[in-house]
Amino acid sequence: MSVSTETAPGGRIVKQSVLARYGATLAMPAGIVVLLVIGTVLSDRFLSVGNLTNVLINMSIVGIIVVGMTFVFVSRGMADLSVPATVAVGGILVLMLDDVIGTWPAALVGVLVAGLAGVVNGLLIGYAGLNPVITTLATGIIVLGTAQAFVGGVIVYGQDTAAKDFLTGRLFGVVPVIVLVFLVVALLGHLALSRTVFGRWTYAVGSNPFATEASAVPIRLVKGGAFVLTATLAGFSGVLLGISLQAARPEIGTGYEFDAITAVVVGGVSLLGGSGSIPRAIGGLLFVTLLNNILILQGVPSEPQGMVKGALIAGAVALDVYLRRRGGRE
Amino acid sequence: MSEAVPALRMSGISKSFPGIRALTEVTLEVAAGEVHAIVGENGAGKSTLMKILAGIYQPDEGTIQLQGETVRIAGPIDARKRGIGMVYQELNLVPDLTVAENITLGSPPSRFGVVDRKALRARADEVLAELGAKVGADDLVGSLPVSQQQLVEIAKAYASSPRIIVLDEPTSSLSENEAQALFRVVQRMKDAGIAVIYISHRLREVIDLADQVTVLRDGRLVETRPAAGITAADMIRLMVGRDLTDVFPKREVPIGDVVLQVRGLTRAGHFENVDLDVRAGEIVGLAGFVGAGRTEVARSIFGLDRADGGTILVKGEQVNVRDPHAAVEAGIAYVPEDRKRDGLVPQLSVKDNISLAVLSDVATAGWIRRGAERRLATEKARELGVSPPVIDRRVDTYSGGNQQKVVFAKWLATRPEVLILDEPTRGVDVGAKADIHTIIGELAASGTAILMISSELPEVLAVSDRIYVLHEGRVSAELPRGASEHEVMHAATGEVAA
């Protein structure tokens, strides 16, 4: 996926300092190139088709969630913390139902039920005006608790190895199917955000909700919609995860919310809303995944890995704030 | 009083903002124990002068003397330290704290870093007793009516033992009876030797309460004179006395049928029983002071705020304006007062802003037809003279005048039957102002019904075919074209025309 970052609607001229303008645009591609060089120098296993394909496969599941999370960020909805729960709903439902109604109908049910949790989030956040972080934290706990009660704390196993083989296989023996699925979702998400009415409304709501409401835009629908989308995509991720592992526990989605948030933030999508794009967020995801890969190849234990990720988030947010100030706006 | 050093002397104060000269060599002298009223139209410079006194703005020229000593007021905290207490129209109280806690909020009495509740209560009682304010010290501020909150706000300013207290429109939200309680408090402060600066649009209050009256007009001092013997008519003459030059050419257009009909529109606490008619091709002015409810009426007609009662008809059909979307569907458009907040989406381009309210019209099944959108934006930007007409440029990189043209463009794209303009020329330069007036004239000529709110009286008088004047949320007068500035001001102040 290209990581060009000037694809926000209508490639526009912005009165900003040179650093702010080109810094924001070129920092991510430059960072990815630097990582590729560092990785190649440090390890001879890094720059191989096998390893880089692994990087892409690792990106794919969380990448689908990143697409939804980008909508949440751009609409100034802060973040969706119920992702682990909706991932679990998708993963568990597809495996519980696959021998009853077949894998693909079961997948659809998983996605829809996860989407339903998103509708609850959307109603509470968009219409009732509750704080998104607290709301999604709460619904996440409720949904996860329900899933645990439902499953009874055991692991759900699947039966459909054909579906697993298809998903973990490669198209024409080259392109991993799961990567392809992710790329299609990312492309659709990108088109939705940059070319549709809903996408434009999402930017407008995030940039100035007052003027947007005064322009006859249904802002509650737009704000809520970002959460419905995120939950639906997280459910879809869970379904893919369940099928490819043929096993799911309620804790299957743990950590995906933070991985997605990290990617979006590192991609330079502002938590303050109104700007950013899917390619940017995917660029952030690629950056984080490459970094992870290098750390693993170097045999760095997981604790320092976490420290590096945390520093990366703080650094990216600080840079966003700095660039906004340098951008010469009030 | 000529012998004594005045508590406050502001001399030769000038202040400019980009494109506007807000104050020109204004001098104000207030003695201890004096109630000094400042009156003037909207935009006459009252607020700017007080914000300079409060340290919020620094004057470009001029000096401030407190008790004869020249000072530089660095900021609001410095102002308070120097004995200047400010009571603004909007209350700055913490609703979840008690009256006593709010009064002592600035410097609660404490022992070893812990708030001394007994001393706090005693101090609050003392302040309330000195002011003669009948407010329960233990009541939660949020549970009190606005009139009592106002007293708490004053008590809070008084608690820091100021030598000067500024009351900015303290009675604008109070009834006659409630205002009486406030006047007693003002009298107590005066007796305590505090210099009270009193800003009000209610001229009768000024006559009853003030010792001295200063009239400002267009950022200049018109006159300071004793309040004794002054009449409301005198003050109005001093406030408006201006030549009505023909700076706003009015285009004569045929006036058609009633398009917008508002009947009995009421929103509790904001406006009551407002009736308005606007005909096709007619420009109707909505005059009145800031806070009289003009913007609130406009917002309710456009569905941004819910009215409590009344009906709105467009071309004879009743419309339920639940939200702006319903208003736009009914053919109503609204160019808001606060362009930054309600008018523009700053991070989006000129094109994106222009198409925002009609995006569905240039889309098929939710998919934006980019060619159609660009054509629409280009056409509207050109029609309104957005310059340069670079529709992909971010809107916040344009000047105020051009931004306003973009807001107009957005609303004209909806092809409205009724266009409500709220301060359409505020914060735009002279050239853009003329452009906007031309646009308004053309819109009227094309049969649009226009309701225009403006704080600039000459603008309202020159452009309007008819004028409604609001006073404290009610229509106090309906004036025909050719009404004088005096008539409007009389109605706006609630005074019967002399």
Side-chain angles (χ1 to χ4, degrees):
Chain A
M1 161 83 22
S2 147
V3 287
S4 152
T5 50
E6 44 180 12
T7 26
R12 47 177 103 98
I13 312 162
V14 184
K15 187 179 71 185
Q16 282 181 332
S17 71
V18 173
L19 177 70
R21 190 191 303 173
Y22 297 105
T25 313
L26 296 178
M28 186 49 63
I32 288 168
V33 169
V34 167
L35 277 188
L36 287 173
V37 172
I38 291 175
T40 310
V41 171
L42 287 180
S43 163
D44 47 4
R45 276 179 301 162
F46 178 76
L47 200 65
S48 64
V49 173
N51 184 54
L52 292 183
T53 306
N54 261 335
V55 167
L56 285 176
I57 292 172
N58 289 339
M59 273 176 68
S60 296
I61 296 284
V62 71
I64 290 168
I65 301 166
V66 164
V67 170
M69 199 68 91
T70 306
F71 275 80
V72 168
F73 267 62
V74 172
S75 68
R76 209 190 280 181
M78 297 176 164
D80 185 344
L81 298 186
S82 65
V83 159
T86 38
V87 168
V89 164
I92 290 171
L93 280 179
V94 71
L95 296 187
M96 284 185 87
L97 298 177
D98 62 352
D99 51 351
V100 186
I101 55 174
T103 296
W104 305 116
L108 187 65
V109 171
V111 171
L112 289 180
V113 173
L116 212 60
V119 171
V120 173
N121 281 336
L123 288 175
L124 291 175
I125 295 161
Y127 290 82
L130 302 190
N131 177 297
V133 170
I134 307 300
T135 304
T136 54
L137 191 65
T139 52
I141 292 169
I142 294 167
V143 170
L144 201 56
T146 313
Q148 274 162 342
F150 202 56
V151 175
V154 295
I155 301 177
V156 183
Y157 292 99
Q159 319 290 336
D160 192 347
T161 48
K164 172 193 168 141
D165 291 343
F166 169 70
L167 211 55
T168 53
R170 300 189 174 206
L171 205 65
F172 312 122
V174 189
V175 191
V177 171
I178 198 138
V179 173
L180 205 64
V181 170
F182 157 59
L183 290 179
V184 168
V185 170
L187 181 68
L188 290 177
H190 173 56
L191 290 175
L193 189 56
S194 61
R195 298 281 192 90
T196 67
V197 172
F198 185 81
R200 178 72 57 72
W201 284 349
T202 303
Y203 280 105
V205 164
S207 178
N208 183 352
F210 301 108
T212 304
E213 185 180 19
S215 300
V217 172
I219 62 167
R220 291 168 190 85
L221 180 80
V222 177
K223 282 171 125 175
F227 287 90
V228 177
L229 185 68
T230 304
T232 306
L233 289 176
F236 185 52
S237 274
V239 165
L240 296 179
L241 206 55
I243 292 176
S244 52
L245 297 175
Q246 286 299 306
R249 296 173 300 131
E251 295 76 27
I252 190 172
T254 308
Y256 277 108
E257 81 280 36
F258 288 117
D259 287 346
I261 291 168
T262 306
V264 177
V265 168
V266 171
V269 177
S270 177
L271 192 56
L272 303 173
S275 65
S277 68
I278 302 285
R280 260 182 174 234
I282 302 290
L285 177 63
L286 182 60
F287 185 88
V288 176
T289 317
L290 281 174
L291 187 69
N292 248 351
N293 182 252
I294 291 169
L295 293 175
I296 291 166
L297 286 178
Q298 290 305 301
V300 177
S302 61
E303 293 86 355
Q305 282 183 35
M307 289 153 73
V308 170
K309 263 198 223 174
L312 211 55
I313 298 179
V317 172
L319 188 69
D320 174 45
V321 170
Y322 172 76
L323 289 177
R324 269 181 189 248
R325 289 205 187 126
R326 287 291 296 254
R329 306 200 302 114
E330 283 163 68
Chain B
M1 157 190 143
S2 51
E3 282 10 273
V5 179
L8 168 71
R9 187 179 158 79
M10 301 174 83
S11 20
I13 303 285
S14 295
K15 177 73 185 173
S16 293
F17 297 103
I20 318 159
R21 192 159 175 101
L23 289 174
T24 310
E25 292 173 22
V26 172
T27 292
L28 177 72
E29 200 174 293
V30 187
E34 171 184 297
V35 176
H36 195 122
I38 302 180
V39 296
E41 276 187 82
N42 298 325
K46 295 166 297 191
S47 297
T48 309
L49 189 64
M50 289 307 107
K51 281 182 176 160
I52 287 172
L53 180 59
I56 295 167
Y57 298 146
Q58 294 301 320
D60 299 337
E61 281 166 50
T63 55
I64 301 174
Q65 290 178 317
L66 298 174
Q67 280 80 38
E69 185 196 341
T70 303
V71 297
R72 185 184 165 273
I73 300 169
I77 296 173
D78 190 37
R80 205 179 69 189
K81 274 193 205 143
R82 291 178 188 281
I84 300 167
M86 304 290 299
V87 178
Y88 295 105
Q89 215 172 337
E90 321 80 59
L91 302 172
N92 293 300
L93 298 170
V94 186
D96 294 327
L97 294 183
T98 64
V99 168
E101 285 164 339
N102 267 287
I103 289 174
T104 55
L105 201 58
S107 50
S110 62
R111 289 170 61 185
F112 316 116
V114 178
V115 172
D116 183 342
R117 301 202 62 86
K118 228 183 226 165
L120 181 148
R121 179 63 207 269
R123 174 73 186 131
D125 283 341
E126 185 187 14
V127 168
L128 290 171
E130 277 175 33
L131 288 175
K134 293 185 186 70
V135 183
D138 292 326
D139 290 345
L140 284 183
V141 161
S143 69
L144 298 175
V146 177
S147 57
Q148 296 210 352
Q149 292 190 12
Q150 187 92 52
L151 294 179
V152 175
E153 183 81 51
I154 292 171
K156 185 175 138 195
Y158 182 81
S160 59
S161 310
R163 297 206 216 184
I164 301 164
I165 279 193
V166 178
L167 302 175
D168 189 355
E169 296 271 354
T171 54
S172 60
S173 52
L174 305 189
S175 72
E176 200 79 0
N177 270 336
E178 294 167 338
Q180 288 303 325
L182 183 115
F183 299 155
R184 280 194 294 276
V185 168
V186 171
Q187 193 61 42
R188 293 277 188 123
M189 293 197 288
K190 174 182 152 92
D191 295 344
I194 295 173
V196 181
I197 298 176
Y198 193 89
I199 298 176
S200 180
H201 288 313
R202 293 188 182 181
L203 301 182
R204 191 154 298 156
E205 265 172 39
V206 169
I207 294 168
D208 290 348
L209 210 58
D211 301 305
Q212 296 280 322
V213 179
T214 286
V215 182
L216 295 182
R217 184 206 309 149
D218 298 336
R220 291 170 191 274
L221 174 71
V222 179
E223 195 175 342
T224 296
R225 66 190 232 188
I230 202 167
T231 65
D234 293 338
M235 279 189 272
I236 290 172
R237 194 162 45 245
L238 293 170
M239 282 155 74
V240 297
R242 178 181 13 202
D243 300 329
L244 242 185
T245 46
D246 202 18
V247 281
F248 307 108
K250 160 92 178 153
R251 203 167 142 180
E252 296 304 332
V253 304
I255 289 172
D257 295 335
V258 175
V259 178
L260 175 71
Q261 249 177 316
V262 175
R263 287 292 174 268
L265 198 66
T266 299
R267 185 168 166 234
H270 297 275
F271 54 85
E272 236 178 87
N273 224 352
V274 171
D275 291 352
L276 303 170
D277 282 324
V278 188
R279 292 162 177 277
E282 191 182 31
I283 303 174
V284 173
L286 194 54
F289 284 113
V290 171
R294 300 168 308 172
T295 294
E296 288 76 5
V297 168
R299 288 178 63 91
S300 285
I301 296 175
F302 188 62
L304 274 168
D305 296 323
R306 266 321 254 280
D308 300 319
T311 54
I312 295 165
L313 294 90
V314 176
K315 287 195 158 170
E317 268 183 60
Q318 190 171 336
V319 289
N320 174 17
V321 284
R322 302 177 299 282
D323 53 24
H325 184 72
V328 170
E329 291 283 293
I332 305 173
Y334 173 55
V335 174
E337 175 187 24
D338 190 340
R339 184 165 56 235
K340 245 193 178 123
R341 181 180 183 273
D342 298 321
L344 292 169
V345 181
Q347 283 160 300
L348 294 187
S349 65
V350 168
K351 165 178 74 71
D352 297 356
N353 271 283
I354 291 178
S355 64
L356 191 56
V358 291
L359 212 47
S360 307
D361 296 350
V362 291
T364 309
W367 185 263
I368 298 170
R369 297 194 308 271
R370 295 204 287 181
E373 188 194 14
R374 297 194 71 84
R375 275 195 298 280
L376 170 84
T378 308
E379 182 196 313
K380 290 293 163 202
R382 215 169 269 155
E383 208 175 298
L384 288 156
V386 176
S387 107
V390 185
I391 60 166
D392 287 323
R393 218 170 107 175
R394 256 172 79 148
V395 76
D396 58 354
T397 65
Y398 277 90
S399 69
N402 276 301
Q403 291 186 5
Q404 186 70 322
K405 288 177 187 174
V406 171
V407 177
F408 266 82
K410 171 173 76 184
W411 289 117
L412 296 194
T414 68
R415 303 173 185 284
E417 308 265 2
V418 179
L419 182 60
I420 305 172
L421 305 171
D422 197 347
E423 305 284 359
T425 59
R426 175 178 288 178
V428 308
D429 59 63
V430 181
K433 204 168 188 166
D435 289 351
I436 288 171
H437 279 124
T438 310
I439 294 163
I440 295 172
E442 281 169 8
L443 285 168
S446 71
T448 312
I450 296 172
L451 182 64
M452 186 179 83
I453 297 169
S454 172
S455 291
E456 272 189 60
L457 216 35
E459 183 176 73
V460 175
L461 291 170
V463 174
S464 306
D465 294 299
R466 209 151 42 82
I467 299 169
Y468 290 103
V469 187
L470 281 185
H471 170 67
E472 297 183 355
R474 288 168 173 276
V475 176
S476 61
E478 182 186 343
L479 303 168
R481 176 155 177 78
S484 72
E485 213 163 337
H486 281 76
E487 287 174 275
V488 176
M489 286 300 279
H490 274 289
T493 53
E495 298 288 334
V496 187

